[in-house]
Amino acid sequence: MNRATEVIGRELRAVGVTARNAVRGPGRERDLMVQSLKASVAALLAWTVAKLWLEDPMALMAPWAALVLVQATVYGSLLRAAQQCAAICVGTLLASAAQAVTGDELAAMAVCLPPLMLLAQWSRFGDQGNYAATTAVFTLATGAVSAQAAGHRVGQAVLGAVIGVAVNALVLPPVHLRDVRDNLVGLAAEAGAVLRRVAGDLTRAEWDDSAAARWSRATDRLERRLEGLRSARGWSDESLRLAPDRLRRLRRIPPNVPSAEEDERWARVTGQVVALTRALSVAADADRSPLPPDGAALERYAGMLEVLGLACEAESRRLASGPVGATRSDLRRKEARAASGPRAPEGPAASPEPDPEPDPEPSEERLTELHAGLREHLREHAARNPSQAAVLGALLLHAENIWADTALGARRE
């Protein structure tokens, strides 16, 4: 009983947090709330048109089609409208033909449902294929099976599809731009957290099977973050596919998103972090043949991971607060302008405001120093024990690859 109460309480708190976020400001929660309200409005509008204006005694298909066709993107609404109308037409025609041949509802269902369920798996129908079978059931259940009834049912579906697509396209059209940035911010922060967690474990000499299991769980979360970013990129591209500039301005959303180059860069960082933790896990296994590096080398390596983790977290903050489309090339241009000297002030100088407590920043000099020391350790290991040198070399290579893909790496180029 206590367990059930705890679960229910946790879910209620989560619902409360979601509701507060939806009211507080723009975000995923508000987007979902808007889409839900739009779907409801589309269904009510379709019902009103079909029932009151067209005086349809069974105004079912129109609100049903309108409800399910308020999709996450305008392009998705159009695509699924075409798929659903095709599925409804096939289901209606096949059910009507089966009823005309057999003269019995049960026999007609036995004849038409198996091929319709197979047809639902056809990729051309997407996730709308099941509507062919459900439409056939509705057609046979109503008992009105004729050419006029079939045409009427298809017309209702087309009416609902038109209303659903129109509402989705004209009323706050969904444009998924924030999701890409939010997922990039989360991925960069998560990568930094994993690197700093590994660095902390190495510094405390907590390098064993339990530490390897913690690293594995952390990298699993990191890879899920990457999948979330790729999914968000797909939604963003699809949402802009048929959204003209006029409709985007209605929502006052910036017209640009972080470039796909940023996705690839953080995908590379994620891959190197995963490979790094796996290499450390193998070296921590006493039953495996490679020997881990000595303590001094590990201490320097932990320091290098700490600085790289800070670099990832700094980039996460930059992505959260800087220009949406900023890349490492933008950073290089900004630093080049800064190196050319300060500009003369234009107009009266504003009184400086006190800065908040700064977050820890990565030190390029510290990273260069640690890297040079590790290369010296690598030469010593190669002369003394080739297996240790192989492990340290692999670890150092992964760290260098992460370094190359951070803003600190941009300064080295």
Side-chain angles (χ1 to χ4, degrees):
M1 183 65 181
N2 291 336
R3 175 64 177 171
T5 303
E6 180 182 348
V7 171
I8 293 173
R10 186 166 58 246
E11 291 300 321
L12 290 176
R13 287 192 296 272
V15 170
V17 170
T18 301
R20 284 196 302 272
N21 290 340
V23 174
R24 187 172 299 166
R28 178 170 177 78
E29 293 83 358
R30 177 171 289 185
D31 291 341
L32 292 174
M33 182 183 70
V34 169
Q35 285 298 101
S36 300
L37 292 175
K38 285 168 57 178
S40 303
V41 169
L44 291 173
L45 182 59
W47 174 273
T48 301
V49 173
K51 183 77 173 180
L52 302 181
W53 186 18
L54 300 180
E55 298 181 351
D56 184 355
M58 293 190 63
L60 171 65
M61 298 300 294
W64 177 30
L67 186 68
V68 299
L69 287 179
V70 179
Q71 297 287 326
T73 66
V74 176
Y75 174 80
S77 290
L78 286 171
L79 176 63
R80 287 161 182 80
Q83 292 171 335
Q84 188 185 100
C85 289
I88 289 173
C89 288
V90 171
T92 300
L93 294 176
L94 191 53
S96 300
Q99 173 72 3
V101 170
T102 63
D104 179 74
E105 288 85 357
L106 181 60
M109 285 189 185
V111 169
C112 71
L113 288 183
L116 288 175
M117 288 306 298
L118 287 174
L119 194 63
Q121 309 306 315
W122 189 25
S123 60
R124 296 294 185 184
F125 280 128
D127 57 0
Q128 306 295 307
N130 286 330
Y131 288 112
T134 55
T135 302
V137 172
F138 289 150
T139 299
L140 296 172
T142 58
V145 179
S146 64
Q148 181 180 3
H152 176 76
R153 193 165 285 107
V154 171
Q156 289 287 312
V158 172
L159 172 65
V162 170
I163 292 176
V165 172
V167 169
N168 201 31
L170 300 177
V171 181
L172 298 177
V175 182
H176 298 263
L177 298 180
R178 284 187 299 269
D179 291 349
V180 172
R181 174 188 250 185
D182 292 345
N183 278 275
L184 265 176
V185 169
L187 182 61
E190 187 76 23
V194 173
L195 289 172
R196 296 185 69 186
R197 184 176 301 118
V198 173
D201 288 342
L202 293 179
T203 302
R204 294 187 296 270
E206 295 179 5
W207 190 15
D208 51 19
D209 292 341
S210 61
R214 289 196 301 272
W215 301 338
S216 177
R217 290 191 295 270
T219 53
D220 286 344
R221 290 193 299 271
L222 184 62
E223 289 182 309
R224 287 195 294 272
R225 285 274 193 182
L226 179 59
E227 289 302 316
L229 171 61
R230 287 172 173 159
S231 176
R233 175 66 64 180
W235 282 114
S236 175
D237 293 343
E238 183 176 297
S239 67
L240 296 176
R241 197 165 181 176
L242 292 176
D245 293 338
R246 182 180 64 83
L247 295 180
R248 290 199 314 221
R249 285 197 298 270
L250 288 175
R251 299 203 67 184
R252 295 184 288 276
I253 296 178
N256 59 338
V257 296
S259 67
E261 174 191 348
E262 292 287 279
D263 296 7
E264 295 303 317
R265 180 161 71 93
W266 287 104
R268 291 194 300 270
V269 170
T270 298
Q272 294 299 325
V273 172
V274 172
L276 181 153
T277 56
R278 287 175 180 168
L280 282 170
S281 299
V282 170
D285 190 345
D287 297 330
R288 306 258 184 135
S289 55
L291 294 175
D294 61 29
L298 281 178
E299 185 177 351
R300 284 182 178 272
Y301 191 70
M304 190 173 185
L305 294 187
E306 175 71 19
V307 177
L308 291 174
L310 289 173
C312 292
E313 292 175 350
E315 290 212 55
S316 173
R317 295 190 293 272
R318 176 184 64 81
L319 286 165
S321 60
V324 184
T327 62
R328 290 198 308 160
S329 58
D330 299 326
L331 174 63
R332 288 195 291 269
R333 287 194 294 270
K334 180 178 179 181
E335 291 183 343
R337 289 195 300 268
S340 63
R343 296 183 178 182
E346 299 179 1
S351 58
E353 297 182 359
D355 293 329
E357 186 68 23
D359 292 313
E361 293 292 335
S363 169
E364 185 180 359
E365 294 76 12
R366 174 64 175 159
L367 188 59
T368 303
E369 175 190 345
L370 291 166
H371 181 254
L374 281 169
R375 293 184 68 85
E376 182 63 30
H377 280 294
L378 183 60
R379 285 190 289 270
E380 294 174 358
H381 282 56
R384 186 175 66 246
N385 192 320
S387 65
Q388 282 185 311
V391 174
L392 181 58
L395 295 174
L396 184 57
L397 177 62
H398 295 313
E400 288 173 342
N401 289 336
I402 296 172
W403 186 1
D405 276 316
T406 63
L408 295 179
R411 298 187 183 108
R412 297 176 69 198
E413 297 173 1

